[in-house]
Amino acid sequence: MLSAMTRFQGRVAIVTGAGAPDGIGAAVAAALVAEGARVVLGATSERVHQRAAELGDAAVGVVADLTVDGAADTLAHAALERWGRIDVLVNNAGMTSVASGWDADDDVANLSLADWDAALARNLTTAFLMCRAVVPTMREAGYGRIVSVGSTTGTVNAMPGQATYTAAKAGLLGLSRALALETVGDGVTVNVVAPGYVATGSQLEFEAAAAAAGPIGRSGTPDEIASCVLFLAHESASFVTGAVLVADGGHGLPETWPRP
């Protein structure tokens, strides 16, 4: 049995949305490298080069806007050119659309088509394009793990003023389940981790208040979500596909606690 430090020895992973120093993507990439993987980090910001440099020779950073057709192929090519394989894809790229909380004036009646399209592009189309880019390689190899970072918004609950984000994350679950069926005979598994409130530098004040009011009484950490991702990304999770792993500290359970 492999030790915790070598569980991903010889594996090559792509992690998108890995530019923020305190985000889930950076935590996933660091955890994979710590366990022996080699990783391509993708992000729209030049900061991704610094994240990769911090991880040493086992990581390379690629600046790519995954809402643009062809950018996903660039990430896949980077992995194949440098290490000759793609074993794991972690779709983490995405962002919420509302900056001010539940009372935001961003309900469906006020949304522009441009806002709608932009949110779907960031949170759903990016994952589709990455899956399309790596699945042929995984099928040829007879092995692959695709893990998308969704949200409890769109899986077990919703949020006022977040129609675009909710729809995109629900679509991510649907995409993953359909792809799981399409690749079930190819040695490829496709799953979703759905975090609740997670403490990052971009965490909004209202999110922190909501997390504190929930059953576990705190936000999750990027490292805790990374642990969930690595479980589904490992070869031992071979019987899990088309599933959603909710990691929200009980936030989505029947509500007996007040919201702020």
Side-chain angles (χ1 to χ4, degrees):
M1 183 175 179
L2 293 176
S3 72
M5 296 303 293
T6 59
R7 287 195 305 162
F8 288 87
Q9 193 71 41
R11 298 298 187 189
V12 174
I14 299 173
V15 181
T16 68
D22 56 358
I24 292 172
V28 170
L32 284 167
V33 169
E35 297 200 16
R38 291 162 291 183
V39 182
V40 174
L41 288 72
T44 57
S45 168
E46 294 285 344
R47 293 181 303 180
V48 72
H49 294 307
Q50 181 179 348
R51 302 285 81 74
E54 291 167 354
L55 297 176
D57 293 339
V60 60
V62 177
V63 178
D65 181 354
L66 293 176
T67 65
V68 177
D69 198 7
D73 296 316
T74 299
L75 284 179
H77 179 72
L80 292 172
E81 183 177 48
R82 189 174 181 105
W83 292 303
R85 58 191 296 159
I86 302 171
D87 301 292
V88 177
L89 167 65
V90 180
N91 287 312
N92 178 64
M95 61 185 296
T96 58
S97 58
V98 176
S100 55
W102 285 304
D103 60 349
D105 188 23
D106 192 30
D107 62 17
V108 171
N110 297 318
L111 281 172
S112 69
L113 180 58
D115 288 339
W116 174 265
D117 288 342
L120 291 184
R122 290 191 301 262
N123 295 290
L124 179 57
T125 304
T126 54
F128 155 67
L129 292 173
M130 282 304 312
C131 290
R132 189 181 68 176
V134 306
V135 163
T137 298
M138 290 180 172
R139 277 178 164 154
E140 184 177 355
Y143 180 87
R145 296 287 183 267
I146 298 174
V147 184
S148 294
V149 178
S151 173
T152 51
T153 302
T155 52
V156 297
N157 55 29
M159 186 182 296
Q162 290 276 338
T164 54
Y165 186 71
T166 301
K169 290 302 187 181
L172 184 61
L173 180 56
L175 169 66
S176 299
R177 285 175 168 166
L179 185 57
L181 290 174
E182 292 177 5
T183 59
V184 72
D186 301 313
V188 179
T189 65
V190 188
N191 294 289
V192 175
V193 172
Y197 297 113
V198 178
T200 68
S202 61
Q203 187 185 37
L204 305 178
E205 184 177 340
F206 81 94
E207 288 182 326
I216 207 168
R218 64 172 178 85
S219 300
T221 69
D223 287 340
E224 287 175 317
I225 304 306
S227 295
C228 297
V229 172
L230 263 62
F231 162 67
L232 294 173
H234 191 251
E235 60 188 57
S236 63
S238 54
F239 200 58
V240 183
T241 194
V244 55
L245 194 169
V246 175
D248 69 346
H251 194 90
L253 295 172
E255 295 187 17
T256 58
W257 45 270
R259 288 178 183 250

